[in-house]
Amino acid sequence: MEGILMSIDKSVAAELASEAMEEFMKMAMDREEVLWSQGHGGKEALIYKEYLNQFTSAGMGQSSPDLKTDATRATAMVFIKSLSLVEALMNMKQWKDMLCCIVSRAITVDVISSGSGGSLDGALLLIYAELQVLSPLVPTRDVFFLRFCKQHKEGVWAVVDVSVDSLTESLSSSSLKCRKRPSGCLIQDMPNGFSKVTWVEHWEYDESEIHSLYRPFISSGMGFGAHRWLATLQRQTERLATELATPHLQNMVGGRVDGGRSLLKVAERMRNNFCSIVNHSTLHNGSQVLGLKDGGVRVATRKRSDDPRKPPAGVLSAAASIWLPVSPERLFDFLRDGRLRNEWDMLSNGGPMHETAYIATGQDPGNNVSLLTASAQSKTLILQESCKDSSGFLVVYSPVDISQLNEVINGEEDSAYVDLLPCGFSILPPGSQVEVDDSNKENGALLTVVIQITVSTYNPRKARLTAESVKTVSNLISCTVRKIKSALSL
């Protein structure tokens, strides 16, 4: 990876970053909306003809005729100080953890400049990232880019990204799948701990490898556009505020149980693990596709590595995406309700589950972490996190051993060693009409189902998918989908 980019001249990279910052600032601060049009739901889309009149993007070269364009802008108030957000964006681990639903992998390839005077002002990084939509039917966007940070005045920062394919022949080939034109965020401190964030995303991408079911969603800008980045950031900063406020577990009779912060740590690791397996680009390359009508069931193996003190085990994961004729909100409320879990969960033993404790992780009641149980005698709980924002919905759950969880809540065990096997659902609006069974459908929801099962032993040299194990996990996916359709009379 690094060898491919050694030919990049750092002074030329700095010049490209400076040009990108200038272009980005003009796009972000265009208050007369010369460059932007109001689209569906108030989303701003670039008027491309006007963009071409105003910008040459000489450092990036001309747009490729083989790539589609997706350029959007969004502005919102976010509960985070400007410098804290800048620090998170310039730290790859923090960036990935904060936005794990979008960032599946992020690596700093080179630090071209660390800033000046102990500040991040002027910092310039060369980054490799894999960005995702939570569906196996949408390939990740794998991109090398520069990230340039600049403080424009007290309390006002800008962080801009721009692809480096124009700087090296190794990346500027006909096989290029995506490139990022000047994009980023303008961050302004506001009262009471908030920041006003204006986000711009400007992509060129190859549509050919995206499943037809998801093409309207991606082309509408909802997949990798500014609105999704900003909505995800808003939701995550609300969750972080909950964690910093020393949350308590609320049980159903109104009492309090200490250890909420530890439980949130476990839930965060569960959610991050889930997001990393939906798209199998970083998993074992022996994945297979089986026939679920809309796009197949994607199956892969990986090593389970919750606790290095235990012998390695294998995990078989399966993911499938389908369109359902139901609103995303109704589907989300159904799947997160423990009382209705027996209507779709093959492993719920046929009875309803009860919520024994929860932590609100945002103002919307759909954002919470909860513990579910089938009975007071059960030795296993279900840890569940549900997430909701204007870009989509997420329900992630995992069985957890009750004694192990109590040790974590009481501070007797590290939350990193809790055994987890995340499963769950990603729910997205379709964007516009989608093609289903050779006809166009309006509205509805794009549902991705992810299920994991353990395999008793794991040998990375023999990590093959047996026909029996593939059939087992694929049947679980197919049965879950059938039960959801039946419960909702679809």
Side-chain angles (χ1 to χ4, degrees):
M1 181 191 302
E2 294 184 26
I4 295 175
L5 300 163
M6 284 298 103
S7 60
I8 292 180
D9 185 296
K10 292 188 177 182
S11 63
V12 176
E15 183 179 350
L16 174 60
S18 181
E19 290 178 2
M21 178 65 74
E22 182 179 352
E23 178 174 316
F24 163 75
M25 289 299 292
K26 290 179 180 178
M27 295 177 73
M29 299 182 71
D30 173 31
R31 300 308 173 198
E32 297 180 1
E33 297 188 350
V34 174
L35 290 166
W36 303 98
S37 64
Q38 291 286 334
H40 177 69
K43 298 180 178 68
E44 293 182 298
L46 185 66
I47 303 172
Y48 209 66
K49 182 178 180 180
E50 189 61 38
Y51 169 80
L52 293 176
N53 288 336
Q54 290 199 31
F55 302 105
T56 60
S57 292
M60 285 201 69
Q62 297 300 312
S63 299
S64 169
D66 299 323
L67 300 179
K68 289 199 67 173
T69 297
D70 170 13
T72 52
R73 184 177 74 168
T75 301
M77 302 295 289
V78 180
F79 189 56
I80 190 171
K81 298 295 289 182
S82 63
L83 183 57
S84 296
L85 180 53
V86 167
E87 290 172 344
L89 294 172
M90 300 302 287
N91 180 298
M92 292 306 97
K93 184 180 185 306
Q94 290 185 39
W95 181 48
K96 180 180 179 300
D97 288 347
M98 177 176 279
L99 299 166
C100 68
C101 293
I102 306 175
V103 184
S104 62
R105 190 181 182 199
I107 299 171
T108 300
V109 178
D110 192 14
V111 179
I112 299 173
S113 171
S114 58
S116 60
S119 166
L120 286 170
D121 183 25
L124 179 59
L125 307 179
L126 177 60
I127 295 169
Y128 170 75
E130 296 174 9
L131 309 176
Q132 66 179 352
V133 165
L134 293 178
S135 168
L137 302 186
V138 181
T140 58
R141 289 189 178 176
D142 305 346
V143 59
F144 290 94
F145 60 95
L146 297 171
R147 175 162 288 178
F148 181 41
C149 176
K150 184 175 181 180
Q151 184 175 18
H152 288 271
K153 59 183 180 179
E154 185 67 28
V156 179
W157 293 79
V159 178
V160 66
D161 299 339
V162 62
S163 284
V164 296
D165 55 277
S166 63
L167 303 184
T168 172
E169 294 181 0
S170 302
L171 297 175
S172 56
S173 67
S174 58
S175 62
L176 188 69
K177 299 299 182 183
C178 65
R179 64 201 303 244
K180 203 171 194 184
R181 286 190 171 270
S183 307
C185 54
L186 176 63
I187 312 159
Q188 302 168 269
D189 270 332
M190 302 297 284
N192 302 320
F194 283 84
S195 290
K196 180 182 179 182
V197 180
T198 299
W199 204 293
V200 173
E201 285 291 324
H202 189 177
W203 286 93
E204 294 173 354
Y205 67 98
D206 180 2
E207 188 182 51
S208 63
E209 294 187 7
I210 302 172
H211 192 280
S212 60
L213 197 63
Y214 277 80
R215 287 183 185 178
F217 176 77
I218 300 299
S219 64
S220 69
M222 297 173 69
F224 295 94
H227 174 71
R228 183 181 175 216
W229 285 92
L230 203 46
T232 305
L233 178 64
Q234 283 182 298
R235 172 170 51 79
Q236 184 61 10
T237 53
E238 277 194 4
R239 191 188 192 282
L240 290 172
T242 300
E243 187 173 329
L244 292 173
T246 313
H248 294 275
L249 284 173
Q250 304 285 336
N251 67 23
M252 298 307 291
V253 295
R256 294 177 180 270
V257 181
D258 290 334
R261 182 175 292 172
S262 297
L263 187 66
L264 283 179
K265 287 291 186 184
V266 178
E268 179 182 34
R269 187 164 62 85
M270 175 183 70
R271 187 195 58 201
N272 289 1
N273 181 295
F274 174 87
C275 291
S276 72
I277 64 171
V278 176
N279 191 306
H280 294 299
S281 62
T282 59
L283 296 182
H284 173 60
N285 59 12
S287 60
Q288 300 180 14
V289 180
L290 301 178
L292 195 67
K293 195 169 185 180
D294 284 337
V297 177
R298 311 296 172 99
V299 183
T301 58
R302 66 180 178 86
K303 178 182 177 181
R304 184 174 184 177
S305 55
D306 287 321
D307 190 343
R309 301 170 298 185
K310 297 179 181 179
V315 173
L316 201 60
S317 61
S321 294
I322 62 168
W323 175 85
L324 292 178
V326 61
S327 73
E329 293 84 358
R330 183 186 173 202
L331 185 57
F332 172 70
D333 288 338
F334 169 72
L335 292 172
R336 74 185 182 92
D337 191 336
R339 296 167 299 179
L340 304 176
R341 191 180 187 90
N342 61 306
E343 296 189 30
W344 59 263
D345 187 357
M346 301 279 293
L347 307 177
S348 67
N349 298 320
M353 302 199 81
H354 308 283
E355 187 179 72
T356 61
Y358 71 93
I359 301 173
T361 57
Q363 296 182 7
D364 192 291
N367 291 312
N368 65 74
V369 171
S370 58
L371 291 172
L372 306 172
T373 184
S375 69
Q377 292 74 38
S378 176
K379 295 181 179 180
T380 301
L381 296 173
I382 296 294
L383 174 63
Q384 176 176 292
E385 177 161 7
S386 63
C387 307
K388 172 185 179 182
D389 61 47
S390 56
S391 70
F393 308 82
L394 199 62
V395 179
V396 185
Y397 63 91
S398 174
V400 291
D401 181 82
I402 191 168
S403 60
Q404 195 177 37
L405 192 63
N406 282 334
E407 288 178 352
V408 169
I409 290 174
N410 294 327
E412 300 168 5
E413 177 63 285
D414 190 329
S415 60
Y417 294 144
V418 175
D419 292 330
L420 296 171
L421 197 63
C423 304
F425 308 93
S426 168
I427 306 166
L428 300 170
S432 59
Q433 284 190 341
V434 295
E435 186 177 319
V436 181
D437 299 335
D438 298 321
S439 63
N440 291 328
K441 304 290 186 181
E442 293 277 3
N443 303 318
L446 295 170
L447 172 67
T448 295
V449 184
V450 178
I451 290 178
Q452 298 193 88
I453 60 174
T454 55
V455 181
S456 58
T457 59
Y458 179 81
N459 185 335
R461 296 180 181 178
K462 300 179 181 179
R464 298 188 182 95
L465 300 173
T466 67
E468 182 180 359
S469 60
V470 168
K471 183 179 179 180
T472 297
V473 75
S474 298
N475 283 342
L476 282 172
I477 289 269
S478 299
C479 289
T480 299
V481 170
R482 284 199 299 270
K483 289 171 79 69
I484 291 171
K485 287 182 175 181
S486 176
L488 296 175
S489 302
L490 303 179

